[in-house]
Amino acid sequence: MTRYTGIIDAYRSRLPLPPEAKAISLGEGRTPLIKLDNLVRHEGVEADIYVKFEGTNPTGSFKDRGMTMAVTEAVHRGAKAILCASTGNTSAAAAAYAARAGIKSFVLIPEGKIAMGKLAQAVVHGATIVQVRGNFDDGMRLVKEVSETSPVVLVNSVNPYRLQGQKTAAFEIVEALGEAPDYHCLPVGNAGNITAHWIGYSECAGTGTQACLLCKGNCTFCQTGSTPKRPKMIGYQAAGSAPFMRGAAVKNPETVATAIRIGDPQSWDPAWIVQKESGGWFDECTDAEILACQRLLAEQEGVFCEPASATSLAGALRDLKSGKIPAGSTVVCTLTGNGMKDPDIILKGGFPAMIEVDAVKSAVERVLVDRL
């Protein structure tokens, strides 16, 4: 039996790395594609809905797919340090993969705008953390400026190797389903992930896409086992942080979905190309819709994702009910991160399901009888 060692070794022939580049890996990828049965019945929709749960990656989010590529390429070129701006998940992944590679990591985070579960990861992996008096977009501007004059490699999604790693999720989906889905729904913040998935689906179809930042549509794709089908790509944003719906950057984005609290997406142009080429669309969900869907998914299917992740499913369910996504469609929703990244949101109102009783058998039995 061959031991699985991560996406670079699994897909090296389809990744732009020299054969001698040693993979910096934590065994990322091969995340579950879970068909939703209970939730579909509960919501009364007619569709095959799958969730690609990226929260099972080593640091708990999809960022690991891109970070293994970005750090591998940086180390191969002799880099000794990496730098990123982050709302949380990128900093966790950057710190972990830098630790794995034996290099330094520097992360800029927005003041008071990061979930503690994500910050703890950056801390424990030894990153140097710089808190900026501003939001993510301020941090992004700064890391781009600093990386031009400092001996560090920028590993945000403006680094094209990030998207090359993230495209492998599309490979796994096609392998699992036997073809691409009809619709693929994702939460959109910086918009790199929707772009990366489209690159992956395009490669599986043996076609190019002008959204590919590395090759501008000139890649040589693997033709063996290719599928001509590509999905319509749908990107959902939080209503308080929805520049694609406003048609311009949002100066002060606000949402409980901290992972997509980004007002000035770095992959703005490629994401619009994805929308046009795929025939998909952008839309937005309120914080109330996002949190309700997060809890619904956990209660109905046992899948606990972070708030930003639930945006994709919340939007998909709404569009299925309205008929915008036709009944009978095969829909994949990306769940970008694990719910344990941001437990404070769930626990904010205390423990309403907790019942306190005396330490006697009869008291416990009364609780069971009342609820069975």
Side-chain angles (χ1 to χ4, degrees):
M1 180 177 179
T2 303
R3 183 172 66 90
Y4 178 75
T5 55
I7 64 167
I8 291 177
D9 289 339
Y11 298 109
R12 189 177 282 268
S13 65
R14 303 172 79 173
L15 295 169
L17 287 172
E20 69 274 15
K22 179 185 176 182
I24 308 299
S25 175
L26 290 168
E28 61 294 315
R30 286 198 178 176
T31 56
L33 185 67
I34 304 167
K35 188 176 183 182
L36 303 185
D37 296 319
N38 300 331
L39 187 146
V40 167
R41 286 193 296 269
H42 183 273
E43 293 299 293
V45 294
E46 295 181 15
D48 289 330
I49 305 178
Y50 298 83
V51 290
K52 182 66 167 166
F53 191 25
E54 293 290 89
T56 63
N57 275 304
T59 75
S61 87
F62 76 98
K63 304 287 188 177
D64 293 347
R65 290 183 186 271
M67 205 58 68
T68 184
M69 275 291 290
V71 173
T72 294
E73 192 274 336
V75 170
H76 180 67
R77 288 193 290 114
K80 302 299 182 186
I82 59 173
L83 170 70
C84 70
S86 179
T87 56
N89 284 330
T90 300
S91 66
Y97 281 83
R100 179 72 166 164
I103 62 175
K104 294 183 180 299
S105 59
F106 298 87
V107 301
L108 269 66
I109 62 171
E111 184 178 26
K113 302 290 186 179
I114 183 170
M116 288 298 102
K118 301 172 186 179
L119 182 57
Q121 289 180 284
V123 171
V124 78
H125 293 309
T128 297
I129 300 166
V130 181
Q131 183 168 268
V132 176
R133 296 188 187 95
N135 58 26
F136 169 81
D137 300 311
D138 294 316
M140 194 66 230
R141 170 179 54 81
L142 287 167
V143 295
K144 288 165 76 175
E145 293 172 358
V146 169
S147 65
E148 291 178 358
T149 55
S150 301
V152 294
V153 173
L154 183 59
V155 293
N156 281 99
S157 58
V158 292
N159 181 323
Y161 290 92
R162 278 278 308 277
L163 302 193
Q164 289 292 310
Q166 287 163 213
K167 75 181 181 184
T168 60
F171 297 167
E172 293 178 4
I173 291 166
V174 170
E175 289 166 3
L177 296 179
E179 63 177 358
D182 299 315
Y183 295 84
H184 191 126
C185 305
L186 297 99
V188 171
N190 229 7
N193 209 27
I194 193 169
T195 305
H197 276 75
W198 187 239
I199 295 169
Y201 283 126
S202 296
E203 293 192 15
C204 287
T207 61
T209 168
Q210 291 303 309
C212 182
L213 298 179
L214 196 67
C215 70
K216 303 300 183 184
N218 296 316
C219 291
T220 300
F221 303 131
C222 176
Q223 299 296 315
T224 304
S226 65
T227 171
K229 183 179 176 181
R230 292 191 292 179
K232 288 180 169 61
M233 304 295 292
I234 311 173
Y236 297 105
Q237 299 202 282
S241 180
F244 285 97
M245 298 304 295
R246 308 294 173 258
V250 175
K251 189 174 182 181
N252 295 302
E254 285 297 338
T255 173
V256 296
T258 57
I260 55 173
R261 188 193 279 145
I262 297 169
D264 189 10
Q266 297 300 301
S267 293
W268 176 270
D269 290 337
W272 281 115
I273 292 171
V274 169
Q275 182 266 326
K276 182 179 179 180
E277 288 185 350
S278 74
W281 59 86
F282 294 108
D283 209 334
E284 60 189 300
C285 299
T286 66
D287 280 1
E289 289 175 316
I290 292 168
L291 293 178
C293 189
Q294 179 196 28
R295 191 173 287 274
L296 178 69
L297 179 62
E299 291 176 348
Q300 292 293 320
E301 300 285 0
V303 178
F304 182 27
C305 66
E306 67 173 328
S309 297
T311 309
S312 62
L313 181 58
L317 289 172
R318 189 178 63 203
D319 283 346
L320 278 161
K321 290 174 182 178
S322 72
K324 193 171 185 179
I325 298 177
S329 297
T330 298
V331 181
V332 170
C333 297
T334 294
L335 303 181
T336 47
N338 198 295
M340 294 308 293
K341 290 274 196 171
D342 193 4
D344 295 348
I345 293 294
I346 293 295
L347 303 178
K348 201 170 185 179
F351 297 88
M354 185 180 295
I355 301 169
E356 188 172 341
V357 299
D358 293 329
V360 294
K361 178 184 176 184
S362 59
V364 176
E365 286 179 333
R366 275 196 303 273
V367 174
L368 271 60
V369 169
D370 288 344
R371 283 158 180 78
L372 285 175

